[in-house]
Amino acid sequence: MRRVTMLTCSALVGLAAIAASSQSRGPDNVSKAVLYEGGRLIVGDGTAPLEAGAFLVQNGRITALGRKGMVTAPAGATRVDLTGKTVMPAWINVHVHIGYEGYTSWGAENYTPRNVLDHLEREAFYGILGTVAVGSSPTAQAIQFQQDQQAGKFPPASRFFFMPGMAPPNGGPDAILIKATTALHAVYEVSTGPEARAAVRTLAGRNIKHVKIWVDDRRGTYPKMTPDVYTAIIDEAHKHQMTVHAHATTLADQKAVVGAGADVLVHIVANEKLDAEYLALLREKKPYWTPVMGLGDRSEVCDNDPFVDQVLPPKTIAAIREMSCGPAIANAATREEMIANNFPKMVAAGARLVLGTDAGIAPRHSFGWADHHEVARYVQLGLTPSQAIMAATQRPAELLGIKDMGTLAVGKSADFVVLDANPLENIRNTRQITNVSLRGTMLDRDAWLAGWKKAN
Ligand SMILES: [Zn+2]
């Protein structure tokens, strides 16, 4: 039986052989085991860290994990001493806009596989090894990119995921993003319930598991998605085991989409306080929630922090400082007051926090370091560092159904970050990155930095 299958698939056998040989650089490498020992291990599931832990990596996976001295390594294994270091799982960002940023330009003309890869490298540089492009990537190109990356055709970078978006004609993405997404026909335009259902079925037919919808009217400047349309999208998506991410920024819209069964809420209400009716709804529905606050915050480029500046062209930094680093805008204090009030209430009511940044819209809040900004924000607003890290590790893996990422555990891909300091003591220590491991291989972060410098 097996033979017959092999023969009928003879064309595929050749491809498989090429893929296998490009992944393994000889028999020694394949079987090479590495034992990392002595480091503090943050598992990523909110449990207490394993002080002085150890884990074994073989063939790109964690094959054993426990206390130092309790994990045995096969003969000939390499030993790496991580005493004094902290290890956490690589992060996953569920909300990014990939492909348009070019630093000296921004738009559809930049959307190439090479530029998508560049943005994924920037996420990986900062320890984010899963990145989800939300509603702004053209479907056919995105599927192609994902297949090519899975087939090993690209150099190492963050794992690419995407979901298509749906909006009313001329609605949806904000003033910046809409021009680029329109040029690439990246957003599905739907006006009626039946149209929306047909669009969802098309996506389901391509085995797409997530879809984004925009429901707000951007303060009256855009057409609003009507309840019959988003209700149809959510209902049809759930029939196909698909997850709906809803962009909603006002209290009324958030109530409406959560009430209608949206699975993931995008944005935080920042112009009014949440009310008891909404909190009761959250307690009932417990949606995933990515507040994406950073894009509205003062840019970290204003802080002269090398952690941020190292990856950006000097001209871009200068332009941001000129544009965005003056006195705070008039409503900043009110926004902050609303966020400080609403964030803890959302979490207490059961909204399941997941990391998202909206990076890719503007360089003042860009790939990779924006993730560290957002996670630090969670702590500033009342979460423990352990809870904040969980929102960037286990929970997005759970939301996206990525079975081999999200925690440090046996069977997971060896996707982890080695830190020089303990982020459980101070969340800003997530920035003390020594190394990032992608499937057991340490990324060459210096080579990327040199490349980005050269490009400038
Ligand atoms: Zn967005």
Side-chain angles (χ1 to χ4, degrees):
M1 193 65 202
R2 205 188 159 93
R3 259 183 88 116
V4 174
T5 313
M6 291 287 281
L7 284 170
T8 52
C9 297
S10 59
L12 288 173
V13 173
L15 281 176
I18 291 163
S21 67
S22 66
Q23 273 161 20
S24 59
R25 273 166 260 116
D28 288 349
N29 254 336
V30 171
S31 58
K32 196 77 186 159
V34 183
L35 179 65
Y36 296 91
E37 47 185 357
R40 173 184 302 103
L41 306 185
I42 297 174
V43 175
D45 61 357
T47 57
L50 196 56
E51 303 288 344
F55 60 100
L56 185 68
V57 172
Q58 288 173 294
N59 298 321
R61 289 194 182 266
I62 299 172
T63 54
L65 184 144
R67 288 187 193 290
K68 185 185 172 187
M70 304 296 281
V71 178
T72 49
T78 305
R79 285 168 181 265
V80 178
D81 183 11
L82 293 183
T83 306
K85 310 275 188 200
T86 300
V87 182
M88 64 176 178
W91 290 2
I92 300 165
N93 182 335
V94 307
H95 197 107
V96 175
H97 299 287
I98 291 272
Y100 299 107
E101 180 63 71
Y103 298 97
T104 51
S105 63
W106 194 101
E109 69 277 15
N110 292 335
Y111 199 97
T112 60
R114 182 67 201 99
N115 205 39
V116 169
L117 185 67
D118 176 76
H119 298 165
L120 296 171
E121 288 171 349
R122 289 167 188 270
E123 289 284 342
F125 176 84
Y126 285 102
I128 295 87
L129 295 185
T131 301
V132 187
V134 176
S136 51
S137 291
T139 301
Q141 279 109 304
I143 290 174
Q144 186 65 50
F145 187 95
Q146 205 166 24
Q147 286 172 352
D148 288 347
Q149 191 184 43
Q150 280 166 9
K153 290 186 185 171
F154 298 128
S158 189
R159 225 188 279 187
F160 177 74
F161 301 92
F162 83 102
M163 74 187 73
M166 290 190 191
N170 304 310
D174 67 18
I176 304 172
L177 203 51
I178 196 165
K179 218 176 137 200
T181 53
T182 303
L184 296 185
H185 306 288
V187 177
Y188 291 75
E189 297 192 332
V190 289
S191 309
T192 66
E195 242 176 61
R197 285 183 188 276
V200 172
R201 283 195 293 270
T202 303
L203 302 182
R206 303 181 90 164
N207 203 26
I208 288 167
K209 297 294 181 201
H210 295 256
V211 62
K212 156 141 184 207
I213 58 173
W214 283 269
V215 299
D216 79 3
D217 63 359
R218 310 248 182 209
R219 293 165 205 236
T221 61
Y222 282 61
K224 203 169 165 62
M225 182 179 274
T226 55
D228 60 315
V229 173
Y230 61 72
T231 305
I233 293 172
I234 292 168
D235 180 61
E236 193 67 31
H238 288 175
K239 277 185 193 162
H240 293 89
Q241 289 76 49
M242 288 168 67
T243 298
V244 180
H245 299 232
H247 162 113
T249 57
T250 65
L251 178 56
D253 280 348
Q254 290 207 348
K255 269 186 200 173
V257 294
V258 173
D263 307 280
V264 186
L265 191 61
V266 185
H267 292 291
I268 184 166
V269 175
N271 61 350
E272 62 183 309
K273 289 186 177 173
L274 307 183
D275 62 15
E277 184 191 28
Y278 186 37
L279 296 174
L281 187 62
L282 290 169
R283 276 192 287 273
E284 182 200 332
K285 302 278 191 178
K286 298 198 169 24
Y288 287 93
W289 177 45
T290 177
V292 285
M293 295 174 283
L295 190 59
D297 292 345
R298 181 181 165 85
S299 172
E300 286 209 19
V301 172
C302 304
D303 299 342
N304 295 291
D305 183 350
F307 179 73
V308 168
D309 296 353
Q310 62 186 334
V311 297
L312 293 175
K315 269 188 189 163
T316 306
I317 293 174
I320 295 167
R321 291 202 179 129
E322 179 145 352
M323 290 283 294
S324 312
C325 300
I329 50 166
N331 73 354
T334 313
R335 175 181 183 266
E336 198 52 39
E337 191 192 325
M338 294 304 150
I339 287 177
N341 178 78
N342 292 347
F343 182 92
K345 285 200 164 73
M346 290 286 292
V347 173
R352 289 180 277 175
L353 192 68
V354 275
L355 171 65
T357 58
D358 247 345
I361 304 273
R364 68 184 149 80
H365 186 64
S366 202
F367 306 109
W369 55 263
D371 303 65
H372 293 264
H373 173 90
E374 196 77 10
V375 167
R377 249 333 211 143
Y378 304 158
V379 175
Q380 184 220 342
L381 292 165
L383 256 58
T384 65
S386 175
Q387 290 170 323
I389 289 169
M390 190 178 161
T393 54
Q394 187 202 42
R395 199 169 292 116
E398 170 193 290
L399 166 63
L400 299 168
I402 309 174
K403 295 204 164 50
D404 64 347
M405 286 185 79
T407 54
L408 292 182
V410 171
K412 300 285 181 184
S413 180
D415 295 344
F416 59 85
V417 183
V418 182
L419 301 168
D420 263 335
N422 182 3
L424 301 177
E425 281 170 5
N426 178 348
I427 195 64
R428 285 187 67 91
N429 288 340
T430 62
R431 301 169 183 227
Q432 304 293 322
I433 300 171
T434 316
N435 266 317
V436 177
S437 162
L438 174 70
R439 284 180 221 100
T441 301
M442 294 303 176
L443 296 174
D444 193 347
R445 299 173 72 241
D446 290 339
W448 275 335
L449 266 187
W452 293 323
K453 282 226 165 68
K454 210 172 135 197
N456 303 333

